[in-house]
Amino acid sequence: GGSTSSGAASSSSSAASSSGGGALTGTLTVFAAASLTDVFTDLGDQLMADNPDLDITFNFAGSSALATQITQGAPADVFASANQTQMTVVTDAGLAEGDPTVFTENVLEIAVPQGNPAGVTGLSDFADPDLTLAICAPDVPCGAAAEQVFEAAGITAQPDTLEEDVRAALTKVELGEVDAALVYASDVQAAGDQVEGIEFPEAEDAVNEYPICTLTGSQNPEAAQAFVDLVESDTGQQALADAGFRSPSS
Amino acid sequence: MLPLLGLLVRAPWSQLLPQLAQPQVGEALRLSLVSATLATLVSLVLGVPIAWVLARSRIRGRSVLRALVTVPLVLPPVVGGVALFLVLGRQGILGRWLYETFDYTIPFTTTAVVIAETFVAMPFLVISVEGALRAADARFEDAAATLGADRWTTFRRVTLPLVAPGVAAGAVLCWARALGEFGATITFAGNFPGTTQTMPLAVYLALQSNPEGAIVLSLVLLAVSLATLLLLRDRWLGRSGVPT
Amino acid sequence: MLPLLGLLVRAPWSQLLPQLAQPQVGEALRLSLVSATLATLVSLVLGVPIAWVLARSRIRGRSVLRALVTVPLVLPPVVGGVALFLVLGRQGILGRWLYETFDYTIPFTTTAVVIAETFVAMPFLVISVEGALRAADARFEDAAATLGADRWTTFRRVTLPLVAPGVAAGAVLCWARALGEFGATITFAGNFPGTTQTMPLAVYLALQSNPEGAIVLSLVLLAVSLATLLLLRDRWLGRSGVPT
Amino acid sequence: MSLRAHVVVRRGALLVDVELAVADGEVLAVLGPNGAGKSTVLRVLAGLLAPDGGRVTVGDDVWDAEDRHVPAHERSLGMVFQDHLLFPHLSTTDNVAFGLRTRGVRKAEARTAAARWLARVGLDGFGDRRPTQLSGGQAQRAALARALVVDPRLLLLDEPLSALDARTRLTVRAELRRHLAEFAGCTVLVSHDPVDAMALADRVLVVEDGRVVQEGTPAEVARMPRTDYVARLVGLSLLPGVGRGRSVELDCGGAVAVAEDAQGPVFVAVRPGTVALYLARPDGSPRNVWPATLVAATPHGSTVRCDLDGEVPLTADVTATAFAELGLQPGTRVWASVKASEVAVYPR
Amino acid sequence: MSLRAHVVVRRGALLVDVELAVADGEVLAVLGPNGAGKSTVLRVLAGLLAPDGGRVTVGDDVWDAEDRHVPAHERSLGMVFQDHLLFPHLSTTDNVAFGLRTRGVRKAEARTAAARWLARVGLDGFGDRRPTQLSGGQAQRAALARALVVDPRLLLLDEPLSALDARTRLTVRAELRRHLAEFAGCTVLVSHDPVDAMALADRVLVVEDGRVVQEGTPAEVARMPRTDYVARLVGLSLLPGVGRGRSVELDCGGAVAVAEDAQGPVFVAVRPGTVALYLARPDGSPRNVWPATLVAATPHGSTVRCDLDGEVPLTADVTATAFAELGLQPGTRVWASVKASEVAVYPR
Ligand SMILES: Nc1ncnc2c1ncn2[C@@H]1O[C@H](COP(=O)(O)OP(=O)(O)OP(=O)(O)O)[C@@H](O)[C@H]1O
Ligand SMILES: Nc1ncnc2c1ncn2[C@@H]1O[C@H](COP(=O)(O)OP(=O)(O)OP(=O)(O)O)[C@@H](O)[C@H]1O
Ligand SMILES: [Mg+2]
Ligand SMILES: [Mg+2]
């Protein structure tokens, strides 16, 4: 089974919905990182259930594609990025309404195939040249995070591949093609039975923050704000926690 | 070829029905087929004449034209999407004018999907039709000219039927490439269920949360497209070279 | 076509030199060209005979063969990568045997890049060569047979030269598709500078952190591949249909 | 090595059923109208078309039988196609050398032999040209050289001289004749030109509508045609009838006086040159005098060929001078006469 | 509507430079050996090949000049190509109807006209076939029908009858003759068959090596050939020489006695049928007697054509009977004789 992020301090999870019942109308377009697909789809369904006249559309893609689209004038109301870098692209373009807030965090875990055939125990195994290992490329958030933890742990990693995204790394773990990969806890959770997660303490040195904001071009700022509120509410945080994310520590 | 067997053997068939039951899947499949077909039609209309110019005419700048046509072949699709924004986006060269004049924006619409797919897939049509035209016997065109057919009539009534197998092959490649298009589409058209979410995008999303489901989805796409190709085969492939 | 202009105009040329100075870029470019060329060669060796079987022979199961060949066209590349794993991966049908017998694994090597590119790009060659073969005049093959040429000699010395423009077009498409290959490569071969990081992977990663640099990179890829194609053009394109 | 073939094959509406035999070194000319099935027979002999029935053997080898079909490339052939089919991507020399190369002859040697044959058919200096750069007659000669340069067991020539001009035709025909005289294999030649057949063939086979209608030596066929087509070909008028001693009652009506006794069904053959035309009924020795109408006149060198319609349909060759003096023109009513001794009679 | 053309064009090593004029309704036959440039001239007239120089005008319209090139499809043409070039993807009917369709004739009407023409060339019932399903002669007739069905200003026929069998040739030639008699435009016909030229053409143009070597009516050309090629074509032996009264000193040596006074450079033409062969020197009236060697003998209907080598190179036609009785064979030494009155003489 997937690991639970026991290190994550999930805040109190009272199920109080922050949205006013049935007040919102119109359409709402949410641009969100692909890793948020399941959580946000569920939250969107909830909001639509509470507001029958509200219609929410999601555009899930890589954060960088989303940022490009928003700067190109895409009709978006909310942007939830999987990292600060891509959020910066949007804020620098002056398209964010107010300051983005961090609504959740993700930490690295070691993902190993079911049964951990190579007997990986901790981060130090990543220095073993005999193992087949995958980490993310330094250009993408999980890769940047990986660099930080290796630096913190004083380890010179010996990866066989620098993955373009977490998903690609996980696929290889699922198929048993790599002995271990360094990915996010939420991804281990999503991967199901085929993958086991191993936590390690150095992960705290590279916490990945997910910022969210409403956008200046929004046609429906109320609904946008309501969605952001819902994500940040206890309901939202619980849903994120169930998916392996953790609440922002700061 | 062999890899496909591996895929078929290992596919989690139990997920097939639940996946198919999702309304989004049907929508994505429909959108994929429709937009790939439209993109192929647009490519045929624009691409076949371009191929003809490349193969037959002697105008200057043919090599420049060929280079331009070849570009989307080697451009990473994501960059292709960015390039499309630069021209057709709301801030783009043409897009701005469209927006200001007609208050119409292309990105994030089904039109954008078709444009992105056409952009990426048309070169496949052009190059293979050009190859077919070059291999064809141009003397029949002479014969048509002596019968009073102008270049366009000759092209339509003689050249094109003669290279029909080549055009069919090009159209198949174009359609398949359009059907599988991902990078330019997700960049330029976004990923909106019902309007711009084609099957490859749906597969991509499914991969995030449910990898096995994603494989089932792509097998569905595969089956549908193979069925389409097989159905069209007899009508399209035309004249066989097998001596009778 | 137009979009390219947009790209050229807006490209951050100032980044060109710093980007090119990175050793990784040169390595990725070299790897891309080498592996795409190898993949094209492998595709020619395997694909041209397959195309011939599809166009000329009358063996049973031709339509099954055609369907199998067409599969990678419409399979999302990532899924193609997974399929390759299932056969050639460490746990794959063939791969396990390779691993246990020779202690050799294909994934994460340059070989894997070539295999992934071949898998994805070969159908383009096969389909367009088949189209060219079908449009070709089979009577010359009769003439060769009466001169004592067996099917293989006939194919090599008569059929192939006659459809050379079609084969050239197919090879160009195959090469371009291999050069632009992204999904199957990163899935099956991974991404490691120097061994498996091709240009499209480099561009994709650069896009994540430095979008403008990425565009410059892809323009470099573009320029190199266009130059290659233009250089080969005269030698490859062969017989022009322009009446002389 | 002799060829024995019984070819049964359906081509659209036409059922071809032809039996033929060619001895070693023999040349068989196949004559027949357009669409008779001549090229079809050649395609079957070449193995390019599987017959629906029959049998093809060469020497002791069975090439086609119910359970056997030797593919073309395993038969030892030399073939000239009606439309040449020179390989467009090869030079003329390489076209001619092709058959030798597939037989394993080294390149230089094959090209030398090819050049020799090109010279023999008058294409010296054309070796480097592509077929598209040859004139029609030059292409046909290259195709002939390509078929002759190999030393096959069976030579199949489908109208190999049709595109040649009169002079070249003479020299190439002589060259071909010289080659065939020494050639040890069997030759089947299709031609529309009776002169080719007479000059080149040892035996003639006439095919009409997919069937053999006459067979024999060129002289026999020329003297005693058995169908209208053959008669036209060799320039005779053919009149079927029934012999009644020194007279033959024609099937078309009327009678012809003949020099020899004839009984039962016979053919009467009249040479156009022996037919004289008069404006008034002539007196004199010829006992065969018929009224007729001139329907068509074709100048033909110094003579004019006159097609006559009447009780007895005939063709007459008269000198251009006579033609002019008589003031003949289509529609003129004339009297045609032939001496009994000039008329050939032979059994049907 | 008359055609006036001066065609200058380089084809590989050959420089074609031909001037020709064809009046309305006139038929010009272009004769010449293979590779003379006949098809090249036709391609230029059709606008398929831009000439390097010269001028082509039809009536008042300039089709080719230094600064002008009317493309083929804007010329009003009917053309039969030497290799037919029927469209392989269209039925025979649609091939024939093609020219009418491009001229805007409605489909049904065009197909009716096509069917009518197919019947005229004897292809009734072949309308639904693809060209690949036609025999060589049938394809040629379809190509002819395709060119004739439109009513063009210029008809270009490149060996339109070469693949036809003897009988069909007669009927198609007659059909073509009938059509051309009524045809208002200009016709240029290329043929290797002198009979075609004599039967169809009003005027003959002989091209050799890219140049015009003779021009005239068919009868003139047949009577007084000016080159060896033409002489062969019309079946004469041509001997150039210098007239010295009743004798002509031949350029090749020897002399010929003639019936009329001849002075200066002349041609002497001898008809093979007038040449008699003897094994021993004959006594008698013919003053022209030469020793010669038989180099080749070709049977030719009931006569044998004998090529002789000696002081005076000649061709003789002797009957097959005489040939056999004399025991002639290549290498035999003979005496050849011709009566002075049978020899034609005309200025060079
Ligand atoms: N592929 C085909 N399918 C159907 N019918 C055909 C095919 N090829 C030829 N035919 C028909 O078969 C008949 C015989 O054709 P073939 O080519 O043998 O004639 P041929 O004797 O060579 O005539 P020609 O003297 O005109 O060359 C013709 O009537 C022709 O139309
Ligand atoms: N495309 C070409 N390039 C170079 N030379 C050519 C080309 N086409 C023809 N020729 C040459 O030009 C000359 C004239 O060719 P053309 O076809 O006009 O001859 P032709 O008089 O029609 O002969 P034929 O009676 O054999 O058809 C020939 O020697 C031929 O080899
Ligand atoms: Mg034939
Ligand atoms: Mg010609």
Side-chain angles (χ1 to χ4, degrees):
Chain A
S3 77
T4 50
S5 41
S6 58
S10 184
S11 52
S12 58
S13 52
S14 72
S17 170
S18 63
S19 56
L24 300 170
T25 58
T27 58
L28 176 68
T29 306
V30 177
F31 279 33
S35 52
L36 297 167
T37 305
D38 284 352
V39 178
F40 272 31
T41 307
D42 287 346
L43 292 177
D45 287 345
Q46 278 185 35
L47 196 60
M48 282 193 286
D50 292 346
N51 302 279
D53 292 335
L54 183 66
D55 191 16
I56 304 181
T57 325
F58 287 103
N59 181 25
F60 294 113
S63 301
S64 67
L66 295 174
T68 306
Q69 289 168 357
I70 290 166
T71 53
Q72 290 296 332
D77 299 303
V78 175
F79 178 38
S81 170
N83 58 63
Q84 294 285 10
T85 320
Q86 300 302 336
M87 180 55 84
T88 314
V89 172
V90 173
T91 50
D92 285 355
L95 297 170
E97 189 72 61
D99 283 336
T101 50
V102 173
F103 66 95
T104 194
E105 291 177 352
N106 218 346
V107 289
L108 293 177
E109 254 182 27
I110 298 170
V112 296
Q114 189 178 22
N116 194 2
V120 173
T121 53
L123 198 60
S124 55
D125 287 316
F126 276 80
D128 182 353
D130 292 337
L131 292 180
T132 310
L133 301 164
I135 60 176
C136 292
D139 309 79
V140 297
C142 70
E147 270 191 344
Q148 284 177 34
V149 297
F150 285 129
E151 206 170 305
I155 292 172
T156 310
Q158 302 282 343
D160 293 272
T161 171
L162 305 174
E163 296 295 301
E164 47 143 349
D165 63 14
V166 173
R167 194 54 247 165
L170 266 181
T171 301
K172 295 182 177 63
V173 178
E174 283 160 10
L175 293 169
E177 295 294 337
V178 294
D179 298 315
L182 212 50
V183 300
Y184 284 117
S186 64
D187 300 305
V188 176
Q189 184 84 0
D193 296 343
Q194 307 244 323
V195 178
E196 292 175 13
I198 300 171
E199 293 169 26
F200 58 94
E202 296 89 341
E204 289 306 323
D205 292 321
V207 174
N208 184 48
E209 297 175 324
Y210 280 58
I212 192 169
C213 70
T214 61
L215 299 169
T216 49
S218 175
Q219 304 290 317
N220 198 347
E222 286 168 33
Q225 193 55 51
F227 186 82
V228 173
D229 291 345
L230 174 61
V231 169
E232 288 175 342
S233 72
D234 291 346
T235 319
Q237 292 299 309
Q238 184 58 49
L240 285 164
D242 291 346
F245 294 94
R246 70 180 194 188
S247 293
S249 40
S250 52
Chain B
M1 294 100 301
L2 209 63
L4 187 75
L5 285 182
L7 212 58
L8 284 178
V9 173
R10 300 272 199 105
W13 291 112
S14 57
Q15 293 223 9
L16 182 61
L17 277 184
Q19 285 284 348
L20 280 183
Q22 280 180 258
Q24 290 202 0
V25 170
E27 241 173 24
L29 197 57
R30 194 189 52 76
L31 186 69
S32 277
L33 294 176
V34 168
S35 57
T37 305
L38 282 176
T40 306
L41 290 178
V42 173
S43 298
L44 279 169
V45 170
L46 299 178
V48 171
I50 292 177
W52 182 81
V53 169
L54 290 180
R56 286 284 191 278
S57 85
R58 286 158 159 179
I59 55 163
R60 277 153 173 284
R62 265 193 308 152
S63 43
V64 175
L65 182 61
R66 182 181 295 110
L68 284 179
V69 166
T70 325
V71 160
L73 277 182
V74 281
L75 205 62
V78 177
V79 179
V82 173
L84 283 172
F85 266 130
L86 292 180
V87 173
L88 298 174
R90 209 158 67 178
Q91 338 253 311
I93 304 168
L94 281 179
R96 181 197 302 263
W97 172 83
L98 264 183
Y99 180 56
E100 284 167 3
T101 318
F102 302 105
D103 195 23
Y104 178 71
T105 53
I106 295 175
F108 315 112
T109 62
T110 307
T111 311
V113 177
V114 175
I115 290 178
E117 291 182 353
T118 305
F119 177 73
V120 171
M122 192 166 85
F124 289 87
L125 184 98
V126 174
I127 302 280
S128 46
V129 172
E130 190 198 345
L133 284 174
R134 281 182 181 272
D137 192 339
R139 291 177 312 154
F140 291 111
E141 297 169 21
D142 283 357
T146 66
L147 289 165
D150 56 28
R151 299 189 97 179
W152 167 238
T153 310
T154 302
F155 177 62
R156 202 167 39 88
R157 307 239 349 249
V158 176
T159 317
L160 212 50
L162 284 177
V163 300
V167 176
V172 165
L173 294 179
C174 178
W175 190 72
R177 182 66 187 82
L179 201 65
E181 210 323 278
F182 173 76
T185 309
I186 200 166
T187 307
F188 182 59
N191 179 15
F192 294 96
T195 48
T196 68
Q197 187 177 75
T198 58
M199 273 306 263
L201 306 196
V203 169
Y204 164 79
L205 270 195
L207 264 178
Q208 304 296 323
S209 50
N210 178 3
E212 302 205 320
I215 288 181
V216 172
L217 275 192
S218 47
L219 289 180
V220 168
L221 175 62
L222 199 69
V224 171
S225 45
L226 282 185
T228 314
L229 288 180
L230 287 179
L231 273 180
L232 288 175
R233 185 179 63 110
D234 294 330
R235 221 174 276 181
W236 273 17
L237 280 183
R239 210 147 45 98
S240 153
V242 176
T244 47
Chain C
M1 295 99 299
L2 210 63
L4 187 75
L5 284 182
L7 213 56
L8 283 178
V9 172
R10 301 273 197 104
W13 291 112
S14 58
Q15 293 223 8
L16 182 61
L17 276 185
Q19 284 284 349
L20 280 183
Q22 281 181 256
Q24 291 202 0
V25 170
E27 242 172 22
L29 197 57
R30 193 189 51 78
L31 186 68
S32 277
L33 294 176
V34 168
S35 57
T37 306
L38 282 176
T40 306
L41 291 179
V42 173
S43 298
L44 279 169
V45 170
L46 299 178
V48 170
I50 292 178
W52 181 81
V53 169
L54 290 180
R56 286 285 191 278
S57 86
R58 287 159 160 178
I59 55 163
R60 278 153 173 282
R62 267 192 306 152
S63 44
V64 175
L65 182 62
R66 183 181 293 109
L68 284 178
V69 167
T70 325
V71 161
L73 276 182
V74 281
L75 206 61
V78 176
V79 180
V82 172
L84 283 172
F85 266 134
L86 292 180
V87 173
L88 297 174
R90 203 163 64 175
Q91 317 276 317
I93 303 170
L94 282 178
R96 183 195 301 261
W97 172 82
L98 264 183
Y99 181 53
E100 284 167 4
T101 319
F102 302 104
D103 195 24
Y104 179 72
T105 53
I106 296 175
F108 313 116
T109 62
T110 307
T111 311
V113 177
V114 174
I115 290 177
E117 291 183 353
T118 305
F119 177 74
V120 171
M122 193 166 84
F124 289 88
L125 184 99
V126 173
I127 301 280
S128 47
V129 172
E130 190 198 345
L133 283 175
R134 281 182 181 274
D137 192 339
R139 291 177 312 154
F140 291 111
E141 296 169 20
D142 283 356
T146 67
L147 290 165
D150 56 29
R151 300 189 97 180
W152 166 238
T153 310
T154 302
F155 177 62
R156 203 165 39 89
R157 308 240 346 251
V158 175
T159 317
L160 211 52
L162 283 177
V163 299
V167 175
V172 166
L173 293 179
C174 177
W175 190 73
R177 182 68 187 82
L179 201 65
E181 213 317 283
F182 175 75
T185 307
I186 194 146
T187 306
F188 181 58
N191 171 39
F192 199 80
T195 48
T196 65
Q197 186 177 72
T198 57
M199 273 307 261
L201 304 190
V203 169
Y204 178 84
L205 290 175
L207 262 180
Q208 307 301 315
S209 51
N210 177 5
E212 302 206 319
I215 290 180
V216 172
L217 275 191
S218 47
L219 290 180
V220 168
L221 174 61
L222 201 69
V224 171
S225 44
L226 283 185
T228 314
L229 288 179
L230 286 179
L231 273 181
L232 287 175
R233 185 178 65 107
D234 293 331
R235 221 173 277 181
W236 274 17
L237 281 183
R239 211 148 43 99
S240 154
V242 176
T244 47
Chain D
M1 243 202 240
S2 60
L3 166 74
R4 308 187 64 81
H6 179 198
V7 173
V8 181
V9 64
R10 176 162 285 291
R11 268 311 220 188
L14 180 71
L15 179 71
V16 177
D17 184 347
V18 168
E19 257 185 285
L20 55 86
V22 188
D24 292 348
E26 198 185 22
V27 179
L28 177 74
V30 177
L31 302 181
N34 291 139
K38 306 180 295 295
S39 300
T40 302
V41 169
L42 256 50
R43 284 185 74 81
V44 171
L45 295 181
L48 297 174
L49 185 66
D52 298 325
R55 199 179 159 81
V56 177
T57 60
V58 169
D60 296 333
D61 298 343
V62 180
W63 279 1
D64 266 309
E66 225 155 77
D67 52 351
R68 203 176 154 73
H69 174 76
V70 177
H73 65 88
E74 286 172 17
R75 307 180 176 202
S76 172
L77 298 172
M79 184 160 182
V80 172
F81 291 84
Q82 212 168 351
D83 38 8
H84 317 155
L85 296 181
L86 294 175
F87 303 125
H89 61 290
L90 296 180
S91 72
T92 308
T93 302
D94 287 337
N95 260 285
V96 177
F98 192 94
L100 293 174
R101 297 283 289 134
T102 63
R103 281 165 173 77
V105 177
R106 283 211 332 281
K107 186 153 192 169
E109 212 172 307
R111 304 188 105 234
T112 312
R116 205 163 47 235
W117 259 105
L118 284 176
R120 284 181 77 171
V121 296
L123 288 181
D124 232 348
F126 287 85
D128 293 335
R129 300 259 187 110
R130 288 291 164 93
T132 48
Q133 299 174 328
L134 295 180
S135 80
Q138 289 162 349
Q140 192 169 51
R141 281 180 271 158
L144 182 62
R146 184 173 71 168
L148 297 181
V149 68
V150 296
D151 194 47
R153 295 175 72 174
L154 179 59
L155 204 49
L156 302 169
L157 308 175
D158 203 346
E159 306 199 24
L161 307 175
S162 64
L164 305 190
D165 71 83
R167 184 175 48 184
T168 311
R169 196 169 188 134
L170 281 178
T171 59
V172 173
R173 190 195 288 142
E175 196 60 55
L176 182 58
R177 201 177 141 86
R178 200 150 42 237
H179 178 74
L180 292 179
E182 289 168 15
F183 177 59
C186 310
T187 306
V188 181
L189 166 83
V190 170
S191 176
H192 288 310
D193 185 347
V195 180
D196 287 346
M198 302 300 161
L200 296 170
D202 301 311
R203 238 153 15 85
V204 170
L205 190 81
V206 183
V207 178
E208 286 181 45
D209 247 352
R211 310 266 158 179
V212 177
V213 295
Q214 188 164 2
E215 201 179 345
T217 65
E220 273 165 26
V221 173
R223 237 178 33 242
M224 305 193 293
R226 306 195 72 83
T227 71
D228 229 40
Y229 166 76
V230 188
R232 284 270 172 154
L233 198 67
V234 299
L236 296 178
S237 299
L238 190 68
L239 306 165
V242 180
R244 305 261 184 257
R246 291 295 171 104
S247 171
V248 175
E249 270 177 33
L250 300 181
D251 293 357
C252 58
V256 182
V258 295
E260 296 159 49
D261 257 349
Q263 294 298 342
V266 293
F267 281 118
V268 174
V270 181
R271 182 165 304 284
T274 64
V275 178
L277 298 186
Y278 307 90
L279 289 179
R281 193 179 211 292
D283 300 329
S285 65
R287 278 172 296 149
N288 293 314
V289 179
W290 305 283
T293 310
L294 180 64
V295 289
T298 322
H300 210 294
S302 59
T303 61
V304 179
R305 168 148 299 191
C306 302
D307 290 317
L308 305 174
D309 195 20
E311 199 173 47
V312 180
L314 280 175
T315 302
D317 277 352
V318 300
T319 60
T321 331
F323 188 85
E325 278 168 5
L326 291 173
L328 295 180
Q329 56 186 34
T332 310
R333 298 197 49 85
V334 296
W335 291 88
S337 95
V338 196
K339 284 199 275 184
S341 61
E342 298 276 13
V343 169
V345 195
Y346 46 91
R348 271 205 252 185
Chain E
M1 241 203 242
S2 60
L3 166 74
R4 308 186 63 81
H6 179 198
V7 173
V8 181
V9 63
R10 176 162 285 292
R11 269 308 222 191
L14 180 73
L15 179 71
V16 178
D17 185 345
V18 168
E19 257 185 286
L20 54 86
V22 188
D24 292 347
E26 198 185 22
V27 179
L28 176 73
V30 177
L31 302 181
N34 292 139
K38 305 181 296 296
S39 300
T40 302
V41 169
L42 254 51
R43 285 186 73 81
V44 171
L45 295 181
L48 297 174
L49 185 65
D52 299 323
R55 199 179 158 81
V56 177
T57 60
V58 169
D60 294 335
D61 299 342
V62 180
W63 280 0
D64 266 309
E66 225 154 78
D67 52 352
R68 202 173 155 73
H69 173 76
V70 176
H73 65 88
E74 286 173 19
R75 305 181 176 199
S76 171
L77 298 172
M79 184 160 182
V80 172
F81 290 85
Q82 211 168 351
D83 38 8
H84 317 156
L85 296 180
L86 294 174
F87 303 124
H89 62 289
L90 296 180
S91 72
T92 308
T93 303
D94 287 338
N95 260 285
V96 177
F98 192 95
L100 293 173
R101 298 282 289 135
T102 63
R103 282 165 173 77
V105 176
R106 283 212 331 282
K107 186 154 193 167
E109 210 172 309
R111 304 189 105 233
T112 312
R116 205 163 47 236
W117 259 105
L118 283 177
R120 283 180 78 170
V121 297
L123 288 181
D124 231 347
F126 287 85
D128 293 336
R129 300 258 188 110
R130 290 290 164 92
T132 48
Q133 299 174 328
L134 295 179
S135 80
Q138 290 163 350
Q140 192 169 52
R141 282 180 271 158
L144 183 61
R146 185 173 70 170
L148 296 182
V149 69
V150 296
D151 194 48
R153 295 174 73 175
L154 179 59
L155 203 49
L156 302 168
L157 309 175
D158 202 347
E159 305 199 26
L161 308 175
S162 64
L164 305 191
D165 72 83
R167 185 174 47 183
T168 311
R169 196 169 189 133
L170 282 178
T171 60
V172 173
R173 190 194 289 141
E175 195 60 55
L176 182 58
R177 201 175 140 88
R178 200 149 43 236
H179 179 74
L180 292 179
E182 289 168 14
F183 177 61
C186 311
T187 306
V188 181
L189 165 82
V190 170
S191 176
H192 287 310
D193 186 347
V195 181
D196 287 346
M198 303 300 161
L200 296 171
D202 301 311
R203 238 154 15 87
V204 171
L205 189 81
V206 183
V207 177
E208 284 181 47
D209 247 352
R211 311 266 158 180
V212 176
V213 294
Q214 188 163 3
E215 202 178 342
T217 66
E220 274 166 25
V221 172
R223 237 180 31 244
M224 304 192 293
R226 307 196 71 82
T227 71
D228 229 38
Y229 165 76
V230 187
R232 283 270 172 156
L233 198 67
V234 298
L236 297 178
S237 299
L238 190 68
L239 306 164
V242 180
R244 305 261 184 256
R246 291 295 170 103
S247 170
V248 174
E249 269 176 35
L250 300 182
D251 293 357
C252 58
V256 182
V258 295
E260 298 158 48
D261 257 350
Q263 295 296 342
V266 292
F267 282 118
V268 174
V270 181
R271 183 165 304 284
T274 63
V275 178
L277 298 187
Y278 306 90
L279 289 178
R281 193 179 212 291
D283 300 330
S285 67
R287 277 172 299 147
N288 292 315
V289 179
W290 305 283
T293 309
L294 179 65
V295 288
T298 321
H300 210 295
S302 59
T303 61
V304 179
R305 168 147 300 190
C306 303
D307 289 318
L308 304 174
D309 195 20
E311 199 173 47
V312 180
L314 280 176
T315 302
D317 277 351
V318 299
T319 61
T321 331
F323 187 85
E325 278 168 5
L326 291 173
L328 295 179
Q329 57 185 33
T332 311
R333 298 196 49 86
V334 295
W335 291 88
S337 96
V338 197
K339 284 198 276 184
S341 62
E342 299 276 13
V343 169
V345 194
Y346 46 92
R348 270 204 253 185

